[in-house]
Amino acid sequence: AQSVTQPDIHITVSEGASLELRCNYSYGATPYLFWYVQSPGQGLQLLLKYFSGDTLVQGIKGFEAEFKRSQSSFNLRKPSVHWSDAAEYFCAVASGGGADGLTFGKGTHLIIQP
Amino acid sequence: GAGVSQSPSNKVTEKGKDVELRCDPISGHTALYWYRQSLGQGLEFLIYFQGNSAPDKSGLPSDRFSAERTGGSVSTLTIQRTQQEDSAVYLCASSLGAATSTDTQYFGPGTRLTVL
């Protein structure tokens, strides 16, 4: 069965600093990978997704993620965070070709310090 | 256009009562998903519909949970004889085409269920 691990429950970053959120997945075949963000009282919003091709994917709000098969990782990055980036971030994986739901990690809570 | 909507936004009920949660997907989206978000379990996939059909119900936590979708649109998730462990936020998502893993799932704001 597929699984996703987000090792960091909380991360605190100063405004303007760079950010990297870690995500490791376990899946036998080529995974379909996603990053979602959930702001307080809001639904989940897709930041970016990876299916194939270029391993560096660009998303909304200035985020990017890099797929590294050798490390089974799909880390999310942003060069300079803004206070509005404070939220819960979820990495997710889906199997290919089937009609199924997403398997989510436990999430990383991002705190932005002024 | 309008996103996925869910009602009610909050529901407080007494243990043993039945509850019904509603999801209105984005117009034209053929696939619909239910998830549960709780502190202990994180985000769990419950069930998926393609049109009005749910091919796999094994993700539902117990036989007290059921879901249906009518007219290829609105879906309801029903929990019978609610228990305190059912307290969670229930999220609905929809996607445009036949539900493949490449389709983006758009999530609603959720229904927060509290069982006293």
Side-chain angles (χ1 to χ4, degrees):
Chain A
Q2 61 220 35
S3 66
V4 176
T5 301
Q6 294 180 247
D8 304 303
I9 299 174
H10 300 278
I11 280 190
T12 300
V13 177
S14 297
E15 190 168 15
S18 63
L19 170 70
E20 182 168 27
L21 301 182
R22 296 184 290 164
C23 171
N24 292 97
Y25 66 90
S26 173
Y27 183 65
T30 299
Y32 294 174
L33 295 160
F34 306 79
W35 274 100
Y36 279 84
V37 61
Q38 187 176 38
S39 299
Q42 304 293 314
L44 288 157
Q45 181 182 24
L46 180 69
L47 288 175
L48 45 79
K49 57 187 178 183
Y50 171 78
F51 301 141
S52 64
D54 192 348
T55 57
L56 184 64
V57 293
Q58 302 297 320
I60 63 171
K61 304 185 179 186
F63 285 92
E64 67 177 27
E66 187 171 12
F67 171 62
K68 293 185 177 180
R69 184 186 300 276
S70 62
Q71 298 176 19
S72 298
S73 70
F74 188 57
N75 294 349
L76 182 71
R77 301 193 294 249
K78 186 170 184 177
S80 176
V81 298
H82 186 262
W83 65 267
S84 60
D85 293 324
E88 192 84 16
Y89 290 80
F90 293 92
C91 182
V93 65
S95 60
D100 54 15
L102 299 169
T103 299
F104 285 89
K106 296 291 188 184
T108 296
H109 184 58
L110 177 63
I111 301 166
I112 307 296
Q113 280 184 336
Chain B
V4 177
S5 61
Q6 294 185 246
S7 61
S9 55
N10 281 284
K11 177 71 176 179
V12 180
T13 189
E14 293 179 347
K15 178 181 172 180
K17 301 281 190 182
D18 298 351
V19 296
E20 198 171 271
L21 313 179
R22 176 187 169 106
C23 172
D24 273 283
I26 293 172
S27 177
H29 280 196
T30 61
L32 186 147
Y33 305 79
W34 284 98
Y35 294 83
R36 180 169 71 172
Q37 185 173 25
S38 59
L39 282 176
Q41 300 299 319
L43 273 156
E44 306 170 84
F45 167 67
L46 299 180
I47 192 170
Y48 134 78
F49 287 90
Q50 179 58 48
N52 293 334
S53 173
D56 183 0
K57 300 181 181 180
S58 63
L60 294 174
S62 75
D63 58 8
R64 296 184 294 104
F65 286 70
S66 63
E68 66 174 12
R69 188 180 186 194
T70 56
S73 181
V74 171
S75 176
T76 54
L77 178 69
T78 301
I79 309 173
Q80 295 179 310
R81 305 180 304 281
T82 52
Q83 304 294 312
Q84 288 182 330
E85 62 262 28
D86 299 333
S87 295
V89 176
Y90 289 82
L91 296 170
C92 176
S94 69
S95 63
L96 179 60
T100 68
S101 302
T102 61
D103 284 346
T104 296
Q105 294 183 27
Y106 295 88
F107 284 80
T111 293
R112 180 175 298 276
L113 175 65
T114 303
V115 182
L116 302 177

